[in-house]
């Protein structure tokens, strides 16, 4: 089935408690969203799937959680103070502000142009100012005095906390090259382009890893380094397909051209997703050479090197950086999981076909009807399952409607307790319940004593 349009997902996300426009009672706030009860679970599950693949299941990567607000020199050393800028233009008529590069890339759709082919305001065709560079970092102040000496930045990415801790981590964990340091956390960018839901927001979560390796023998022709970069590109693509369950035909790799690469980068490849408006970046895998460690070493005066016991030399490691957007991945997971198909009665049902490990609610416990005879057993089943999985209990409305509701939030298994379970008319029950599968809608009956084992085959505990 083709991907749904964005409005369908935005509306489902709000209606079902995944993502709300932020501060809606005050008219909202551009490019800011709040994650509801199901969104926070989905986000947690994606983050955990990343951490599991990148840290837990590897013996060459460790984790880190660096301070958000830190010494502003970090952002001088990284080059962000000087270079983390976007070219901005203003409409002279309506004063609206645009990113010059995004006007050219079509982020505002087809834009009107003047006689020389220069873009005009996409809203009212007004003339635009010359581009001026605008730094995208948010500034804040530490302490009561608002002067330059107390100024700090909110981090626009997670990577720098890793670079400035390279020696701490390497020495405390006694790591040998190659090894990686992974971090997931919020980043802030003063984005002014229209957001397209949570694709581009002011604050967003990132999942980044810096993989440090030996410098190549030949800096000008770093064959082994580029091969390592390729390995990480393949590994990250595999993760989106096999672990996250994204349709491979909606993913592609895009290598940056030479003129698109930053001066220090040996190669960058983006993993792109086919969004309703076209291909867009989901993750960038950058071969950043030794640029960051060298820059921080220069500014701080501290050596950020590794002692190579084999050669007896101190070397500056080179780095591969897979940088993913957690919240952008969440948008992709919602878009990609969306499906409309016939239900048992041939009527339309909406299903979010998440990989079971990503589903916010893993199991729904549903007594056949709201009934005192069913409730004690249903509650017993619920109490048994909830320490093991995110479980929801629901006894309101007809069972069909409750199945629909669970389909729409992507719950892999519904467990139904009926009168056969508890017995009726003086007859004893069979103490069996029904498991209904979200995707096939098939139902199987299992004894309550074997329910956990039966569910474990269908939904992972993690
Ligand atoms: P873009 O070109 O889309 O602005 P970028 O190349 O600046 O992205 P990176 O700095 O490489 O992005 O960040 C790594 C990842 O972080 C991106 O692939 C994306 O998934 C995510 N990301 C970056 N900016 C935002 C944002 N404003 N909102 C949500 N996610 C973001």
């Amino acid at each position: 089935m083709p991907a749904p349009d964005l409005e369908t997902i935005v509306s489902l996300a709000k209606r079902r408690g995944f993502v709300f426009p932020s501060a809606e009672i005050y008219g909202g706030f551009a490019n800011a969203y709040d994650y509801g009860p199901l969104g926070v679970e989905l986000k947690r599950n994606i983050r955990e799937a990343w951490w599991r693949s990148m840290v837990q299941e590897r013996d060459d990567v460790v984790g880190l959680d660096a301070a958000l607000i830190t010494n502003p020199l970090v952002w001088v050393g990284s080059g962000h103070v000087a270079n983390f800028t976007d070219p901005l233009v203003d409409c002279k008529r309506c004063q609206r502000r645009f990113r010059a590069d995004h006007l050219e890339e079509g982020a505002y759709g087809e834009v009107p142009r003047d006689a020389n082919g220069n873009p005009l305001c996409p809203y009212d065709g007004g003339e635009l100012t010359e581009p001026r560079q605008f730094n995208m970092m948010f500034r804040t102040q530490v302490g009561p005095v608002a002067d330059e000496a107390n100024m700090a930045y909110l981090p626009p990415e997670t990577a720098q906390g890793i670079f400035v801790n390279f020696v701490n981590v390497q020495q405390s964990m006694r790591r040998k090259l190659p090894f990686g340091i992974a971090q997931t956390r919020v980043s802030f960018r003063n984005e002014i382009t229209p957001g397209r839901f949570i694709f581009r927001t002011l604050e967003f979560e990132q999942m980044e890893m810096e993989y440090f390796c030996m410098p190549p023998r030949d800096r000008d022709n770093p064959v082994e380094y580029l091969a390592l970069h390729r390995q990480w590109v393949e590994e990250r693509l595999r993760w989106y397909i096999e672990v996250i369950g994204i349709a491979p035909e909606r993913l592609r790799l895009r290598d940056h051209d030479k003129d698109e690469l930053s001066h220090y980068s040996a190669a960058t490849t983006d993993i792109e997703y086919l969004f309703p408006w076209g291909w867009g970046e989901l993750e960038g895998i950058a071969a950043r050479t030794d640029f960051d460690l060298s820059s921080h070493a220069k500014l701080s005066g501290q050596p950020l090197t590794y002692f190579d016991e084999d050669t007896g030399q101190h070397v500056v490691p080179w780095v591969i950086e897979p940088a993913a957007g957690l919240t952008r991945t969440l948008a992709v997971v919602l878009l990609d999981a969306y499906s409309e198909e016939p239900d048992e009665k041939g009527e339309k049902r909406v299903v979010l076909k998440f990989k079971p490990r990503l589903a916010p609610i893993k199991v729904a416990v549903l007594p056949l009807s709201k009934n005192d005879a069913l409730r004690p057993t249903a509650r017993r089943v619920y109490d048994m399952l909830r320490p093991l999985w995110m479980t929801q209990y629901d006894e309101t409305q007809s069972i069909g409607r409750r199945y629909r509701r669970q389909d729409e939030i992507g719950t892999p298994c519904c467990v139904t307790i009926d009168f056969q379970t508890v017995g009726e008319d003086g007859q004893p029950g069979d103490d069996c319940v029904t498991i209904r599968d979200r995707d096939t809608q098939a139902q199987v009956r299992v004894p309550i004593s074997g329910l956990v084992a039966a569910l474990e085959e269908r939904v992972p505990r993690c």
Side-chain angles (χ1 to χ4, degrees):
M1 141 159 197
D5 56 27
L6 193 59
E7 290 67 40
T8 306
I9 293 301
V10 174
S11 132
L12 185 150
K14 184 177 171 198
R15 192 159 30 88
R16 291 298 187 210
F18 286 92
V19 184
F20 307 125
S22 189
E24 225 182 355
I25 61 163
Y26 289 107
F29 197 68
N31 297 346
Y33 288 88
D34 300 337
Y35 290 82
L38 298 191
V40 77
E41 294 299 331
L42 181 56
K43 187 141 63 97
R44 194 164 69 92
N45 294 342
I46 299 171
R47 189 192 297 111
E48 278 179 11
W50 186 88
W51 196 264
R52 176 174 271 269
S53 298
M54 297 295 269
V55 181
Q56 188 176 338
E57 291 176 358
R58 299 188 65 103
D59 54 18
D60 56 352
V61 180
V62 291
L64 181 77
D65 192 2
L68 291 173
I69 296 178
T70 184
N71 192 320
L73 287 175
V74 168
W75 306 107
V76 179
S78 69
H80 283 81
V81 169
N83 300 321
F84 196 58
T85 54
D86 276 336
L88 289 194
V89 291
D90 294 304
C91 172
K92 292 183 180 169
R93 198 180 292 161
C94 69
Q95 317 302 326
R96 282 194 176 92
R97 187 163 289 169
F98 309 97
R99 262 179 69 171
D101 52 338
H102 285 178
L103 280 172
E104 294 297 348
E105 287 164 10
Y108 301 93
E110 195 64 39
V111 292
R113 288 176 187 273
D114 67 13
N116 299 321
N118 298 318
L120 298 168
C121 174
Y123 288 90
D124 61 7
E127 195 188 336
L128 300 171
T129 59
E130 284 296 309
R132 61 195 165 75
Q133 294 303 324
F134 161 77
N135 195 297
M136 290 169 69
M137 279 195 293
F138 282 103
R139 291 155 66 110
T140 187
Q141 93 196 34
V142 177
V145 185
D147 62 11
E148 278 299 303
N150 295 321
M151 199 274 301
Y153 296 100
L154 301 186
E157 59 167 44
T158 76
Q160 301 308 321
I162 296 178
F163 291 124
V164 298
N165 277 294
F166 168 72
V167 172
N168 283 338
V169 174
Q170 189 267 322
Q171 292 186 349
S172 61
M173 306 310 286
R174 302 196 349 270
R175 285 284 154 171
K176 288 203 179 320
L177 293 182
F179 75 93
I181 305 178
Q183 179 164 238
T184 75
R185 62 170 204 196
V186 66
S187 295
F188 303 84
R189 292 186 190 177
N190 202 348
E191 302 272 12
I192 58 120
T193 324
R196 287 177 169 148
F197 190 40
I198 53 173
F199 178 79
R200 190 183 301 286
T201 45
L202 298 176
E203 69 177 79
F204 53 98
E205 284 183 60
Q206 288 187 306
M207 310 183 285
E208 290 190 309
M209 198 268 289
E210 306 302 322
Y211 197 75
F212 300 93
C213 59
M214 285 298 282
R217 276 181 288 271
D218 180 356
R219 279 186 83 100
D220 298 323
N221 186 22
V223 193
E224 64 276 42
Y225 177 62
L226 292 176
L228 184 63
H229 173 255
R230 205 67 214 169
Q231 272 176 28
W232 273 110
V233 170
E234 300 298 336
E235 165 55 18
R236 295 302 304 144
L237 182 63
R238 184 197 70 79
W239 185 79
Y240 285 105
I241 297 169
E242 290 177 16
V243 181
I244 298 299
I246 306 299
E249 64 273 17
R250 294 202 197 118
L251 289 170
R252 74 172 188 192
L253 298 177
R254 191 180 69 81
D255 294 332
H256 285 210
D257 297 334
K258 280 266 170 299
D259 56 351
E260 203 183 337
L261 286 178
S262 11
H263 64 280
Y264 51 82
S265 178
T268 296
T269 303
D270 288 345
I271 298 178
E272 295 189 334
Y273 181 75
L274 187 54
F275 288 93
W277 58 88
W279 292 98
E281 178 181 331
L282 184 53
E283 166 161 351
I285 299 112
R288 301 178 64 93
T289 66
D290 57 359
F291 172 78
D292 305 87
L293 288 178
S294 299
S295 312
H296 285 301
K298 200 164 153 208
L299 185 67
S300 66
Q302 304 288 324
L304 296 180
T305 52
Y306 170 83
F307 181 66
D308 180 16
E309 282 169 7
D310 294 343
T311 61
Q313 305 250 310
H314 291 274
V315 297
V316 182
W318 281 36
V319 171
I320 310 282
E321 175 192 83
L326 168 55
T327 40
R328 197 175 282 184
T329 302
L330 191 146
V332 166
V333 167
L334 283 174
L335 282 160
D336 211 69
Y338 185 89
S339 171
E340 289 176 8
E341 54 185 51
D343 67 6
E344 296 98 335
K345 294 187 190 141
E347 285 165 15
K348 182 182 107 173
R349 70 167 186 147
V350 169
V351 197
L352 287 182
K353 294 193 164 178
F354 297 134
K355 277 260 187 194
R357 70 185 298 166
L358 297 187
I361 305 294
K362 303 279 191 278
V363 186
V365 175
L366 312 174
L368 188 65
S369 57
K370 196 170 180 171
N371 187 295
D372 290 344
L374 299 175
R375 192 170 300 121
T377 307
R379 296 297 303 192
R380 178 161 61 88
V381 168
Y382 178 49
D383 289 343
M384 179 174 87
L385 300 181
R386 54 206 285 215
L388 309 179
W389 291 283
M390 281 303 292
T391 308
Q392 208 173 63
Y393 182 89
D394 188 3
E395 58 178 23
T396 55
Q397 298 186 312
S398 76
I399 188 74
R401 287 184 83 142
R402 280 179 282 155
Y403 284 153
R404 281 311 78 76
R405 199 151 60 211
Q406 294 300 333
D407 288 345
E408 219 185 0
I409 63 171
T411 307
C413 294
C414 290
V415 172
T416 311
I417 292 88
D418 57 20
F419 290 98
Q420 207 179 319
T421 316
V422 299
E424 60 183 334
D425 302 332
Q427 297 298 312
D430 64 2
D431 230 24
C432 288
V433 292
T434 303
I435 303 177
R436 173 191 178 268
D437 180 88
R438 176 195 70 196
D439 297 342
T440 63
Q441 303 179 67
Q443 305 196 4
V444 288
R445 239 180 134 70
V446 297
I448 293 177
S449 56
L451 179 59
V452 168
L455 287 172
E456 260 167 351
E457 286 172 15
R458 295 166 169 82
V459 272
R461 287 251 196 113
C462 60

